[in-house]
Amino acid sequence: MTRYGFVASGGGYRSFYTCGALVWLAQQGVPVTHITSTSSGNNIVLDYLMWDRKAEELPPTLTRTMRLSVGDIAHVFANFLGLRPAFLPNGSYLFTVDRDSCRKSLLLDETERRSQLAESLRSTSWTIATTNLTKRRSECFAVKDILGTIDEATLDRFMDVFLAGITTVPYFKAITIGDDYYLEGGYTDNTPLGPLMEDPDVDEIIAVDFTDYDYHRELERIYDKNLLTLPMNSIDMYLLVADIGLTLPNAGKLEEARRINALLGAAGQQSMTVEGQTYYAKPIHVLRPSNLESMTVSLKHAKIQKEYFELGGKEMAALAKTMGSAKPAGQPKRRAAASRRASKSADRSS
């Protein structure tokens, strides 16, 4: 059976689309053996891994989202951000982290959820992508290594990594791990394909890419606003600039992965080790929804999280129909021919 890796990209409330795709795969019994995530994708993956599929129709936080009561909306919002406003903002950031409150909102204080997370991590690897701002590089953390045993000490370590992976400045204060400052992975890699390309236990990759967004239209919408709406214009423009910086460059990450497949194909190899790192050729299936909004916290968009979730499941189902015969771009024909010759030789021997 094909073993899939899954990329849960960051994107604010767009990540409910990602949740829809993951839930659809689980409901169809498709094995996802390794998930990478950053930013809001971290929240979705944690909720997915704490899901008791035998007793629950949907992951716990997603269940609240589907109900959409006032209390549920407040809880989901707190859970999704995992952050709290500072009592006295100092002007350099708007929110600080109350790690204990955050851990509680993420359900990590519940014994049953911890047990479910531990069980899920036995069959599914999870890698969180962050940005090490001090060293100016992308840095990934293997959650299995952190939570090999789930206790207070390892959960503290996990919370540092989790929060680092969702922290965006200047909204939130940067997280310190050791002597370094960390931010969300989107600053360097919002579509962290690398750990999956390097994992020999992943046969094919499903990636969610949110770069198909009409920035031209958004710029014109903001430029055409009345001057009297200056404060809102400034907020809209800042959000757009942040979205461009965190999301748009990741078109290059997908192209980089495609080229690795093409180079391996041209070399006639299934894998190659470069500077101590081994890369494997594998098909990459991309979910690319159009024009999803990253921030949807308003009364007029009260149901949009549910709509994104349903869209993710629908588009995952459509993509799955094309995945059976996929091969990495540039896969050498002679390797397939060699495989057929070996099979014929084995038949003659038998």
Side-chain angles (χ1 to χ4, degrees):
M1 182 177 288
T2 303
R3 300 165 299 180
Y4 288 95
F6 190 96
V7 182
S9 302
Y13 272 35
R14 293 168 178 156
S15 287
F16 283 102
Y17 174 98
T18 302
C19 192
L22 273 172
V23 167
W24 186 90
L25 289 168
Q27 291 173 340
Q28 305 305 311
V30 177
V32 177
T33 60
H34 191 166
I35 304 174
T36 61
S37 65
T38 192
S39 193
S40 57
N42 295 347
N43 299 72
I44 295 303
V45 175
L46 180 60
D47 196 39
Y48 170 82
L49 293 176
M50 292 195 297
W51 175 21
D52 182 355
R53 300 177 197 173
K54 296 178 181 177
E56 299 172 304
E57 183 180 356
L58 295 172
T61 297
L62 181 65
T63 298
R64 290 177 177 268
T65 307
M66 296 297 103
R67 286 196 305 245
L68 286 174
S69 70
V70 174
D72 288 330
I73 291 173
H75 185 279
V76 168
F77 185 61
N79 179 287
F80 201 78
L81 291 177
L83 301 160
R84 299 290 183 270
F87 182 68
L88 291 173
N90 67 4
S92 58
Y93 51 87
L94 298 177
F95 298 90
T96 55
V97 178
D98 182 330
R99 189 166 62 178
D100 291 339
S101 296
C102 176
R103 196 173 81 175
K104 182 179 180 180
S105 74
L106 293 169
L107 309 182
L108 284 168
D109 284 348
E110 298 181 13
T111 303
E112 296 80 4
R113 295 298 176 189
R114 291 186 184 186
S115 298
Q116 183 59 55
L117 177 60
E119 181 179 340
S120 296
L121 289 173
R122 282 192 281 272
S123 58
T124 305
S125 297
W126 179 17
T127 301
I128 292 178
T130 69
T131 296
N132 184 320
L133 185 61
T134 303
K135 293 185 172 64
R136 294 175 293 177
R137 69 187 186 195
S138 177
E139 195 165 323
C140 292
F141 294 87
V143 176
K144 271 188 176 182
D145 293 344
I146 300 170
L147 294 178
T149 301
I150 299 181
D151 54 34
E152 295 302 309
T154 59
L155 279 174
D156 282 348
R157 168 68 171 166
F158 169 77
M159 287 303 302
D160 284 341
V161 171
F162 180 90
L163 291 169
I166 67 173
T167 295
T168 306
V169 291
Y171 303 113
F172 313 124
K173 185 179 181 181
I175 301 298
T176 54
I177 299 178
D179 295 326
D180 294 347
Y181 275 122
Y182 283 80
L183 302 173
E184 70 153 86
Y187 288 98
T188 48
D189 188 356
N190 198 55
T191 312
L193 289 156
L196 302 181
M197 296 293 291
E198 300 159 14
D199 186 348
D201 293 327
V202 169
D203 301 315
E204 302 185 17
I205 298 171
I206 301 167
V208 180
D209 173 32
F210 294 123
T211 59
D212 188 3
Y213 192 77
D214 193 343
Y215 294 108
H216 179 98
R217 181 198 64 187
E218 280 300 294
L219 280 173
E220 289 197 335
R221 181 184 67 82
I222 297 171
Y223 289 157
D224 289 342
K225 279 190 173 182
N226 192 295
L227 289 176
L228 295 177
T229 61
L230 176 61
M232 292 307 298
N233 284 357
S234 298
I235 293 171
D236 285 349
M237 181 58 81
Y238 188 88
L239 288 171
L240 179 61
V241 169
D243 190 73
I244 290 171
L246 292 170
T247 305
L248 188 59
N250 288 280
K253 294 296 180 179
L254 288 162
E255 176 61 18
E256 184 179 288
R258 187 198 68 79
R259 288 192 178 188
I260 289 174
N261 276 334
L263 286 169
L264 286 169
Q269 298 184 38
Q270 184 63 28
S271 64
M272 184 180 294
T273 301
V274 180
E275 296 181 347
Q277 188 61 62
T278 302
Y279 300 90
Y280 299 86
K282 53 192 70 180
I284 301 173
H285 314 283
V286 182
L287 287 162
R288 190 174 284 113
S290 297
N291 292 319
L292 300 190
E293 300 286 345
S294 62
M295 295 302 293
T296 60
V297 186
S298 69
L299 293 177
K300 69 177 182 178
H301 289 132
K303 296 182 179 180
I304 205 163
Q305 298 95 318
K306 183 176 181 180
E307 292 173 9
Y308 285 179
F309 168 78
E310 293 172 346
L311 179 64
K314 178 181 178 181
E315 294 193 353
M316 184 66 251
L319 180 65
K321 295 177 181 178
T322 70
M323 286 165 40
S325 59
K327 292 186 175 68
Q331 183 176 4
K333 293 181 180 179
R334 62 176 174 272
R335 184 168 69 242
S339 177
R340 288 194 295 271
R341 287 196 297 273
S343 178
K344 290 179 180 178
S345 176
D347 289 343
R348 287 196 295 271
S349 297
S350 61

PDB file of all heavy atoms in Angstrom, residues 49 193 211 227 242 250 263 265 322:
ATOM      1  N   LEU A  49      -4.113  14.627  15.228  1.00  0.00           N
ATOM      2  CA  LEU A  49      -3.428  13.535  15.916  1.00  0.00           C
ATOM      3  C   LEU A  49      -4.047  13.202  17.267  1.00  0.00           C
ATOM      4  O   LEU A  49      -3.830  12.117  17.808  1.00  0.00           O
ATOM      5  CB  LEU A  49      -1.947  13.878  16.095  1.00  0.00           C
ATOM      6  CG  LEU A  49      -1.121  13.953  14.803  1.00  0.00           C
ATOM      7  CD1 LEU A  49       0.305  14.408  15.104  1.00  0.00           C
ATOM      8  CD2 LEU A  49      -1.108  12.619  14.065  1.00  0.00           C
ATOM      9  N   LEU A 193       8.406  20.723   2.344  1.00  0.00           N
ATOM     10  CA  LEU A 193       8.486  19.446   1.643  1.00  0.00           C
ATOM     11  C   LEU A 193       9.753  18.670   2.003  1.00  0.00           C
ATOM     12  O   LEU A 193       9.779  17.436   1.899  1.00  0.00           O
ATOM     13  CB  LEU A 193       8.470  19.676   0.131  1.00  0.00           C
ATOM     14  CG  LEU A 193       7.154  20.130  -0.497  1.00  0.00           C
ATOM     15  CD1 LEU A 193       7.408  20.870  -1.796  1.00  0.00           C
ATOM     16  CD2 LEU A 193       6.249  18.931  -0.747  1.00  0.00           C
ATOM     17  N   THR A 211      -0.656  29.517  -2.527  1.00  0.00           N
ATOM     18  CA  THR A 211      -0.095  30.659  -3.257  1.00  0.00           C
ATOM     19  C   THR A 211      -0.971  31.132  -4.416  1.00  0.00           C
ATOM     20  O   THR A 211      -0.674  32.157  -5.023  1.00  0.00           O
ATOM     21  CB  THR A 211       1.300  30.321  -3.810  1.00  0.00           C
ATOM     22  OG1 THR A 211       1.206  29.187  -4.685  1.00  0.00           O
ATOM     23  CG2 THR A 211       2.264  30.002  -2.682  1.00  0.00           C
ATOM     24  N   LEU A 227     -10.426  57.609   1.276  1.00  0.00           N
ATOM     25  CA  LEU A 227      -9.412  58.058   2.231  1.00  0.00           C
ATOM     26  C   LEU A 227      -9.928  58.080   3.665  1.00  0.00           C
ATOM     27  O   LEU A 227      -9.158  57.974   4.619  1.00  0.00           O
ATOM     28  CB  LEU A 227      -8.917  59.449   1.848  1.00  0.00           C
ATOM     29  CG  LEU A 227      -8.042  59.527   0.585  1.00  0.00           C
ATOM     30  CD1 LEU A 227      -7.728  60.974   0.281  1.00  0.00           C
ATOM     31  CD2 LEU A 227      -6.766  58.730   0.772  1.00  0.00           C
ATOM     32  N   ALA A 242       1.912  41.018   4.803  1.00  0.00           N
ATOM     33  CA  ALA A 242       2.344  39.860   5.581  1.00  0.00           C
ATOM     34  C   ALA A 242       2.050  38.565   4.837  1.00  0.00           C
ATOM     35  O   ALA A 242       2.874  37.642   4.811  1.00  0.00           O
ATOM     36  CB  ALA A 242       1.653  39.860   6.944  1.00  0.00           C
ATOM     37  N   ASN A 250       6.711  30.574  -1.608  1.00  0.00           N
ATOM     38  CA  ASN A 250       6.737  29.112  -1.554  1.00  0.00           C
ATOM     39  C   ASN A 250       6.420  28.434  -2.871  1.00  0.00           C
ATOM     40  O   ASN A 250       6.519  27.219  -2.980  1.00  0.00           O
ATOM     41  CB  ASN A 250       5.811  28.635  -0.435  1.00  0.00           C
ATOM     42  CG  ASN A 250       6.428  28.935   0.921  1.00  0.00           C
ATOM     43  OD1 ASN A 250       7.284  28.215   1.388  1.00  0.00           O
ATOM     44  ND2 ASN A 250       6.050  30.047   1.513  1.00  0.00           N
ATOM     45  N   LEU A 263      16.047  15.945 -11.593  1.00  0.00           N
ATOM     46  CA  LEU A 263      17.477  15.646 -11.586  1.00  0.00           C
ATOM     47  C   LEU A 263      17.738  14.169 -11.313  1.00  0.00           C
ATOM     48  O   LEU A 263      18.594  13.546 -11.953  1.00  0.00           O
ATOM     49  CB  LEU A 263      18.173  16.513 -10.536  1.00  0.00           C
ATOM     50  CG  LEU A 263      18.348  17.996 -10.887  1.00  0.00           C
ATOM     51  CD1 LEU A 263      18.794  18.783  -9.659  1.00  0.00           C
ATOM     52  CD2 LEU A 263      19.350  18.163 -12.022  1.00  0.00           C
ATOM     53  N   GLY A 265      15.671  11.798 -11.967  1.00  0.00           N
ATOM     54  CA  GLY A 265      15.235  11.087 -13.164  1.00  0.00           C
ATOM     55  C   GLY A 265      16.279  11.141 -14.263  1.00  0.00           C
ATOM     56  O   GLY A 265      16.575  10.138 -14.915  1.00  0.00           O
ATOM     57  N   THR A 322      -6.692  11.075  -9.373  1.00  0.00           N
ATOM     58  CA  THR A 322      -5.589  11.205 -10.333  1.00  0.00           C
ATOM     59  C   THR A 322      -4.277  10.664  -9.790  1.00  0.00           C
ATOM     60  O   THR A 322      -3.265  10.684 -10.485  1.00  0.00           O
ATOM     61  CB  THR A 322      -5.374  12.693 -10.686  1.00  0.00           C
ATOM     62  OG1 THR A 322      -4.830  13.386  -9.544  1.00  0.00           O
ATOM     63  CG2 THR A 322      -6.679  13.353 -11.091  1.00  0.00           C
TER      64      THR A 322
END
